[in-house]
Amino acid sequence: MTDAPARPRSLAELFVAFTVLALQGFGGVLPVVQREIVERRRWMTQEEFIEEWAVAQTMPGPNVCNLSLVIGSRFFGLRGAATALLGLLLVPALVVLALGSIYSHYSDHPRVAGALRGMAAVAAGMIVATGIKLAATLRRHPLPLAVTLPLAALGVFGLVVLRLPMLAALLVLGGTGCVLTWRRLKP
């Protein structure tokens, strides 16, 4: 028997959680959100996270901001959505302003440029690792791997090789996945 997922005890806990994960997300916060919300705090299962991430990607605006709104709303309604978004943005925005000021002073230094390139490589690796973790849930999807893996591969091919707009790939491939899953689950 599995335990029910935990939940944040208060708006303050939700705010602090999103602030802490945002401050860890150099180069991209999605891997940190997945680790903190699913693995560490256990506020959601991996499957619930994937579903909420899919919803967040279909909304306009930054995906991780959308995800914070969806997760906050899940636990505390509109107040939770606003709190999670504020936690995600407030302190990191202040840090970015301070770092931007420092960077403008030292941006011409070659070591600073090299350090930033090194951080970009690490961030790309974190995104790939998160993609691999999230792909593992395909085994539990209602559609067989013979359908979900080609959809995922077509998504990567369309975005990386053909450089299709994300919205187009999402509408075509995501729409196809939704219809096929709906038909499979239809009683």
Side-chain angles (χ1 to χ4, degrees), residues 46-48 50-51 53-54 130-156 173 177 181 184:
Q46 185 79 339
E47 289 78 14
E48 290 169 331
I50 295 289
E51 290 170 9
W53 177 243
T130 301
I132 292 168
K133 281 183 186 179
L134 298 179
T137 63
L138 291 177
R139 285 178 275 159
R140 294 183 296 277
H141 193 278
L143 293 175
L145 283 175
V147 175
T148 57
L149 286 177
L151 282 173
L154 283 170
V156 170
L173 296 171
T181 303
R184 174 84 180 225

Side-chain angles (χ1 to χ4, degrees), residues 7-8 11 14 18 43-44 52 55 59 65-85:
R7 59 175 284 131
L11 289 169
L14 185 68
F18 273 89
W43 288 351
M44 303 172 83
E52 302 294 20
V55 170
M59 301 180 339
C65 290
N66 295 342
L67 185 61
S68 73
L69 292 168
V70 171
I71 292 172
S73 176
R74 174 189 191 102
F75 295 116
F76 296 105
L78 183 58
R79 291 179 348 159
T83 299
L85 183 62

Side-chain angles (χ1 to χ4, degrees), residues 28-116:
V29 77
L30 176 64
V32 179
V33 175
Q34 187 275 336
R35 186 181 68 239
E36 286 290 314
I37 300 298
V38 175
E39 296 173 15
R40 188 169 161 271
R41 296 181 186 269
R42 300 188 187 283
W43 288 351
M44 303 172 83
T45 65
Q46 185 79 339
E47 289 78 14
E48 290 169 331
F49 182 82
I50 295 289
E51 290 170 9
E52 302 294 20
W53 177 243
V55 170
Q57 285 187 307
T58 63
M59 301 180 339
N63 294 337
V64 174
C65 290
N66 295 342
L67 185 61
S68 73
L69 292 168
V70 171
I71 292 172
S73 176
R74 174 189 191 102
F75 295 116
F76 296 105
L78 183 58
R79 291 179 348 159
T83 299
L85 183 62
L86 190 62
L88 187 71
L89 298 176
L90 180 64
V91 175
L94 297 174
V95 170
V96 166
L97 288 171
L99 290 175
S101 176
I102 294 168
Y103 176 73
S104 69
H105 229 78
Y106 298 101
S107 62
D108 294 333
H109 196 283
R111 286 188 180 175
V112 171
L116 291 176

